[in-house]
Amino acid sequence: MEYLAIITLLFLIVGASLYLLVCVDPNSQGLLGKMNRFVFNTIPMIIKKILGERIFRVFKRGIDYFFYSNHPLVQIFYVLVAVGGYLVYLYFGFLELFENNPFVSHLDTAIGSTMALFCFYSFFQACRYRPGIINKENNKVYVNEFKEYYDNVVYTKDNECKTCNIIKPARSKHCRVCNVCVSRFDHHCVWIRQCVGQKNYKYFVKFIITHAILCDYGAYLGFRCIQGIIVKEKLLEAQFRDPVTKQRLQATWGIIAQYLFYKNTMYIFIVILCIVMGIALTCFALYHLYMIGQDTTTNEKMKRSDFLNFFDEETERLQKQLKDAQNPEDIKQVNTKLEQIKQCQNRIIPVKQIGIWKGLKRVFNESDELDQKIKINNKKKQ
């Protein structure tokens, strides 16, 4: 049972990490972009050389389906893990270990259960509401809404999406998984089986924040419950028998940890899962709150970073070229290129420091996609 719990935990961590890498643009020049290319390009090529073309095609079809198609498997996986994890915590923790525990009570059971219900509802909302899909009907509305963000570097005017046959508004992106253009695109989220964009960002933020709080609270209750067991059973004063040598050993924290894990494997496993997921989700939630305060998105942050890195590399290359240049004409050409790069860098719209509170009000005051459709139809009638 212990080994099964550890393997399951490792599987969850590796699976979540791979799905996070999928969200990264493979053309990105940053560390995550390089990791994406290594995992999804380099490793498959190595497998192809080792196992052959036929097995590689089967492997490639599996990768394409699991990571690049809009399937419901991850949503099903979420329901199994989230609801199953809550039921395990309820049975082995709330109903069994919380009884007569000096550090936790059934008030914690009520609070934890209420928080879990909020989490499940936030998941339903994040899955239900659309991200702000751009089509020919609402194309002009979105173009006008974000026209101030055209800088002719990161976002260029009259740039057409060849797939959707529409003018791409600034801050939008065509999602290769959903096969649609999304307004103020942040990323494609496999957990909710759709993109995160302008119209559903508030539900996604609510989704990750509620889950981060639930996992953190579950980890906190786990520590309190374990502390109660140690005090109630006087484990620090107890002696333990070595199963191999039969020797009696005085209690140490290591021995107590082994004893608790062996005796309450499922509950300890869920607490460890709460700790790991709590740390990850809290960092993820803080990251999104930070970006909300800067009025930017994951996609914009990566694109801006890629452009600035490219300009820095080009500037460095041209400066070296300028040192080696002897011909006045070559010097003039290099200086012209350096000036063009500088102008492009200056044209990139800088991050807006609007503050988290103002950013949250802006995000949560955003209308749902249904409301936006109603507004467009009313304008047409007028």
Side-chain angles (χ1 to χ4, degrees):
M1 183 66 75
E2 303 97 294
Y3 293 115
L4 178 63
I6 293 169
I7 291 169
T8 305
L9 182 61
L10 290 173
F11 174 77
L12 287 170
I13 295 170
V14 172
S17 300
L18 287 174
Y19 270 113
L20 283 173
L21 278 180
V22 172
C23 301
V24 177
D25 186 350
N27 298 317
S28 172
Q29 297 303 310
L31 177 61
L32 291 177
K34 292 176 182 177
M35 290 174 66
N36 178 289
R37 291 191 292 275
F38 176 75
V39 172
F40 297 105
N41 293 338
T42 306
I43 292 178
M45 288 300 104
I46 294 172
I47 292 172
K48 182 179 180 180
K49 288 181 181 179
I50 295 173
L51 301 179
E53 183 70 32
R54 185 177 296 179
I55 296 176
F56 171 74
R57 281 201 299 268
V58 176
F59 174 78
K60 187 73 166 59
R61 280 198 294 270
I63 290 292
D64 289 341
Y65 177 76
F66 281 108
F67 293 104
Y68 297 110
S69 67
N70 214 4
H71 59 77
L73 294 181
V74 181
Q75 284 180 306
I76 295 169
F77 178 69
Y78 164 83
V79 172
L80 292 174
V81 171
V83 178
Y86 167 71
L87 292 176
V88 169
Y89 206 111
L90 177 69
Y91 180 78
F92 291 98
F94 292 155
L95 301 180
E96 194 172 286
L97 297 178
F98 280 37
E99 193 70 38
N100 299 321
N101 191 301
F103 291 101
V104 288
S105 68
H106 287 302
L107 175 62
D108 297 308
T109 304
I111 294 172
S113 298
T114 304
M115 290 172 65
L117 291 175
F118 272 114
C119 285
F120 301 149
Y121 182 63
S122 72
F123 173 70
F124 167 75
Q125 285 185 308
C127 294
R128 179 188 176 191
Y129 289 98
R130 302 280 77 86
I133 296 170
I134 306 167
N135 50 44
K136 292 181 179 179
E137 184 184 27
N138 60 23
N139 192 192
K140 287 185 179 179
V141 175
Y142 283 115
V143 168
N144 290 331
E145 184 176 354
F146 296 104
K147 61 184 178 182
E148 64 181 286
Y149 290 90
Y150 286 117
D151 55 14
N152 290 322
V153 181
V154 180
Y155 298 111
T156 56
K157 287 183 178 180
D158 301 323
N159 183 22
E160 185 179 345
C161 175
K162 303 300 181 184
T163 306
C164 301
N165 294 319
I166 59 172
I167 300 300
K168 294 179 70 174
R171 310 189 76 180
S172 68
K173 184 181 177 182
H174 183 88
C175 176
R176 56 181 170 171
V177 179
C178 299
N179 199 32
V180 292
C181 283
V182 175
S183 175
R184 206 167 72 201
F185 179 89
D186 190 272
H187 70 286
H188 180 86
C189 180
V190 294
W191 297 102
I192 62 174
R193 200 187 171 191
Q194 65 172 338
C195 296
V196 176
Q198 179 181 358
K199 300 298 178 183
N200 68 346
Y201 189 52
K202 58 185 173 184
Y203 298 112
F204 174 76
V205 170
K206 192 191 300 182
F207 169 63
I208 58 174
I209 288 177
T210 54
H211 281 71
I213 293 172
L214 179 67
C215 289
D216 291 339
Y217 189 63
Y220 166 75
L221 289 183
F223 279 115
R224 295 289 289 170
C225 180
I226 291 167
Q227 185 182 4
I229 293 171
I230 292 171
V231 171
K232 183 181 175 182
E233 298 184 12
K234 298 181 180 179
L235 295 182
L236 289 172
E237 303 166 15
Q239 288 188 334
F240 296 85
R241 187 187 296 275
D242 190 302
V244 178
T245 64
K246 306 301 180 183
Q247 182 183 1
R248 286 189 174 275
L249 302 171
Q250 191 61 39
T252 64
W253 285 110
I255 292 173
I256 291 172
Q258 291 179 48
Y259 167 78
L260 289 171
F261 191 75
Y262 177 78
K263 188 179 178 182
N264 305 289
T265 304
M266 290 304 297
Y267 181 69
I268 299 295
F269 165 68
I270 292 296
V271 171
I272 293 172
L273 184 61
C274 283
I275 294 169
V276 174
M277 296 307 297
I279 293 170
L281 287 169
T282 300
C283 292
F284 197 43
L286 291 173
Y287 168 74
H288 276 278
L289 289 173
Y290 169 75
M291 289 199 300
I292 287 171
Q294 293 191 321
D295 189 30
T296 190
T297 65
T298 303
N299 178 57
E300 288 175 315
K301 190 176 179 64
M302 291 174 62
K303 288 185 73 170
R304 191 181 289 111
S305 176
D306 285 343
F307 272 105
L308 292 175
N309 287 337
F310 170 75
F311 290 145
D312 287 342
E313 289 171 4
E314 279 297 293
T315 300
E316 187 177 346
R317 184 183 68 82
L318 289 170
Q319 284 174 343
K320 288 180 180 177
Q321 193 174 324
L322 185 62
K323 288 180 181 178
D324 298 333
Q326 302 293 332
N327 191 318
E329 187 64 30
D330 291 341
I331 294 172
K332 184 179 178 181
Q333 286 181 355
V334 173
N335 281 325
T336 302
K337 290 179 181 178
L338 283 168
E339 184 60 31
Q340 289 173 344
I341 290 174
K342 187 177 180 180
Q343 288 175 1
C344 288
Q345 284 178 312
N346 292 334
R347 281 207 305 270
I348 294 178
I349 297 174
V351 172
K352 297 179 180 179
Q353 300 288 347
I354 63 173
I356 293 175
W357 180 245
K358 186 177 178 181
L360 283 171
K361 286 198 290 186
R362 182 177 294 184
V363 167
F364 280 88
N365 286 335
E366 186 69 58
S367 60
D368 297 330
E369 191 166 27
L370 178 61
D371 297 335
Q372 180 70 5
K373 287 180 180 178
I374 292 171
K375 288 177 185 177
I376 292 169
N377 290 333
N378 288 339
K379 284 182 181 178
K380 285 191 172 183
K381 288 177 183 178
Q382 292 172 0

